[in-house]
Amino acid sequence: MDKIDNNLLLAIETNWYSFVTAIFVFAFLYFLARKRVGFGTRVLVGLGLGLVVGILFQSLDSLEIKGITTFGSIYISLIRMLVIPLVFVLVLNSIASLTSLDYLRKIGFKTFAWFLGTTGIASVIGLLTALVFNPGKGIQQPAASDAATREIPTFSDVILSLVPSNPVSEAADGKVVPILIFAIFLAVAIIKVGSKNEEAVKPVRDLIKSATQILHQVVKFVIRLTPYGVFALIAGVAAKYGWDTLQELGSVIVTSYVALIIHFVLVFGGLVLFVAKVNPLKFFKKVYPTVAVAFTTRSSYATLPINLEVITKRLHVSPKIASFVAPLGASVNFNGCGGVWPAIVVVFTSQAFGIELGLTDYVVLVFVSIISSIGVAGVPGPAVISTTVVLTALGLPLEALAIVAGVEALIDMARTAVNATGTSVTALLVANSEGEFDRDAFNNDDDEEIALNAV
């Protein structure tokens, strides 16, 4: 007991100024939250205060920053805590929500194919853009402890590592991909059994829905800590590396927006033009309300009501298709959050920590991005979960999330706009293939009024 007391006294004696600084900053951030200051604004304030405090501590060599960085480490641990249960339950819920295999085969397959296919394309675009812009070159982080001994696995090893053999053991070991695949098997089995006997699977469906709601609440608890975590983590990085290193984060913002714009214009515009065979400029004009609401709210769920109205009243897709695609897209279709962003963070992390990635890693990156994008919660913040899944699957250090978290709010606006627009594109493509798209009304601009205040 004396040893514990001595350690506590020593920690207070050597870090009291960092503890006091953290308390004052946390109190200020809490005050902003009580005054209803926006989440993104508070994250940026946390970033700015972290920069100031970290650079101040760096200039005064006698000051120890550890008291502040401890809070950042707690935040990272809470994020890690969520990964396995969250991805398992949300993937299971997203797929098992389909009522029958016939319905799944008819429009479900097409919807998922477009969602996941465009996410894969987004991941490739994010990867190639990041390799061109090299966003992590200016961030010199110490090499990961296993960097020297890290071996690039063979393709056969990669395939075998993806196949679940003991889900409980793999969950305990933090192996994400086998858990995702196990969840997909369970979800398909629930649909199969439920198509024959709905009563047999109703308790399971209810349990999954309840677990999903509870986990969403846990995610909200953790995400609310983001401004505080960003302050602590950025303060530690700034104190260690200084302003010259942190200003390189501007390249992360530029890289992200370039990749997102390429995907928005070329991929979405190309699909609308060549597959649905409608004017992409007219399409983008019609979906502007969706883009505007998604960009400002940074929430796919908050955008869902307006997106449903846009799809039915401006794109003239039948309500039958819209009511299936739009809600599903709010929890599955994450081209920006699950495709572009994880790819950029992976390249950033590999460059910043001096870890070389090979072609096999890039293939795994795209595959895991596609799978992990299923079920990402459509609220501001949880894109970090999807990115954590990808980093974990590739064995990359999660500490990179601390560096990019401060600018993520700026990038999240564009990511969410891409996500929501992708749902509109998919609804149009599926409706066109099923004869549920009123092309004449679309071309004649026969649009109904949309209640923007419904959001």
Side-chain angles (χ1 to χ4, degrees):
M1 189 69 178
D2 290 340
K3 185 176 180 181
I4 295 176
D5 291 338
N6 290 335
N7 287 339
L8 179 60
L9 291 174
L10 180 62
I12 295 174
E13 181 181 348
T14 56
N15 294 280
W16 67 268
Y17 33 80
S18 61
F19 282 122
V20 170
T21 302
I23 289 172
F24 273 104
V25 172
F26 289 170
F28 178 65
L29 291 172
Y30 179 75
F31 171 78
L32 294 180
R34 296 286 294 178
K35 290 296 183 180
R36 303 293 184 184
V37 175
F39 178 83
T41 301
R42 286 185 282 119
V43 170
L44 291 178
V45 170
L47 167 65
L49 292 174
L51 286 172
V52 172
V53 171
I55 293 172
L56 177 62
F57 272 62
Q58 185 200 42
S59 63
L60 302 173
D61 295 334
S62 60
L63 295 185
E64 175 62 54
I65 196 76
K66 191 172 183 180
I68 294 177
T69 58
T70 298
F71 292 106
S73 299
I74 291 173
Y75 175 71
I76 289 293
S77 296
L78 291 174
I79 291 293
R80 286 194 176 110
M81 171 191 73
L82 288 172
V83 174
I84 294 296
L86 189 65
V87 297
F88 175 73
V89 172
L90 292 185
V91 168
L92 192 59
N93 181 65
S94 296
I95 301 177
S97 62
L98 301 177
T99 56
S100 71
L101 288 180
D102 288 338
Y103 197 53
L104 175 63
R105 280 190 291 267
K106 187 175 182 181
I107 63 173
F109 177 79
K110 293 179 182 179
T111 301
F112 271 93
W114 285 119
F115 282 166
L116 303 185
T118 52
T119 298
I121 294 172
S123 181
V124 172
I125 290 174
L127 174 62
L128 295 177
T129 306
L131 291 175
V132 170
F133 281 81
N134 296 317
K137 283 296 185 183
I139 308 292
Q140 298 300 318
Q141 295 288 331
S145 58
D146 62 341
T149 58
R150 186 177 183 271
E151 296 182 2
I152 298 177
T154 64
F155 183 75
S156 177
D157 291 336
V158 171
I159 296 300
L160 290 175
S161 69
L162 299 180
V163 180
S165 59
N166 186 338
V168 176
S169 174
E170 285 155 346
D173 292 339
K175 296 180 179 179
V176 178
V177 178
I179 300 304
L180 288 169
I181 294 177
F182 178 59
I184 292 173
F185 272 102
L186 282 179
V188 173
I190 290 171
I191 296 173
K192 182 70 174 178
V193 174
S195 64
K196 299 177 180 177
N197 184 1
E198 177 60 30
E199 290 300 317
V201 299
K202 187 179 184 301
V204 179
R205 290 186 192 273
D206 291 341
L207 175 62
I208 294 170
K209 290 179 181 177
S210 297
T212 301
Q213 293 178 10
I214 293 169
L215 278 174
H216 275 162
Q217 186 59 58
V218 176
V219 168
K220 290 179 182 178
F221 288 150
V222 175
I223 294 304
R224 285 172 186 168
L225 300 176
T226 299
Y228 310 96
V230 166
F231 160 73
L233 294 166
I234 291 297
V237 174
K240 189 171 185 178
Y241 301 104
W243 173 251
D244 291 338
T245 297
L246 291 174
Q247 66 183 354
E248 294 295 332
L249 285 176
S251 64
V252 177
I253 300 175
V254 173
T255 302
S256 300
Y257 269 82
V258 169
L260 290 166
I261 290 172
I262 290 173
H263 188 74
F264 189 92
V265 175
L266 296 185
V267 176
F268 291 161
L271 289 174
V272 167
L273 176 61
F274 296 109
V275 180
K277 301 187 186 306
V278 300
N279 187 333
L281 294 179
K282 183 173 288 189
F283 171 84
F284 289 133
K285 180 181 178 181
K286 286 175 178 288
V287 299
Y288 171 75
T290 293
V291 176
V293 172
F295 192 86
T296 53
T297 64
R298 296 173 48 236
S299 171
S300 294
Y301 286 154
T303 311
L304 179 57
I306 194 68
N307 206 9
L308 276 168
E309 291 203 16
V310 166
I311 292 171
T312 55
K313 297 180 179 180
R314 294 173 70 91
L315 298 184
H316 300 283
V317 168
S318 74
K320 180 173 67 176
I321 298 295
S323 62
F324 174 81
V325 175
L328 195 61
S331 58
V332 177
N333 188 38
F334 288 90
N335 291 183
C337 295
V340 171
W341 178 243
I344 291 174
V345 174
V346 162
V347 174
F348 172 87
T349 305
S350 68
Q351 293 175 348
F353 285 84
I355 301 173
E356 190 168 340
L357 300 178
L359 180 60
T360 302
D361 292 301
Y362 295 145
V363 172
V364 173
L365 161 65
V366 174
F367 177 77
V368 176
S369 294
I370 293 172
I371 298 300
S372 65
S373 68
I374 303 176
V376 175
V379 294
V384 69
I385 301 297
S386 181
T387 307
T388 302
V389 171
V390 177
L391 290 175
T392 303
L394 291 173
L396 296 174
L398 294 180
E399 286 73 14
L401 291 172
I403 305 176
V404 300
V407 298
E408 189 178 2
L410 293 174
I411 299 168
D412 193 35
M413 295 184 292
R415 287 190 322 219
T416 308
V418 167
N419 295 340
T421 306
T423 298
S424 302
V425 171
T426 296
L428 177 64
L429 298 177
V430 174
N432 182 60
S433 67
E434 293 291 328
E436 299 285 346
F437 167 50
D438 190 341
R439 188 179 300 274
D440 292 335
F442 178 94
N443 290 329
N444 293 333
D445 292 324
D446 185 17
D447 301 336
E448 299 179 39
E449 290 295 325
I450 294 177
L452 290 172
N453 59 2
V455 180

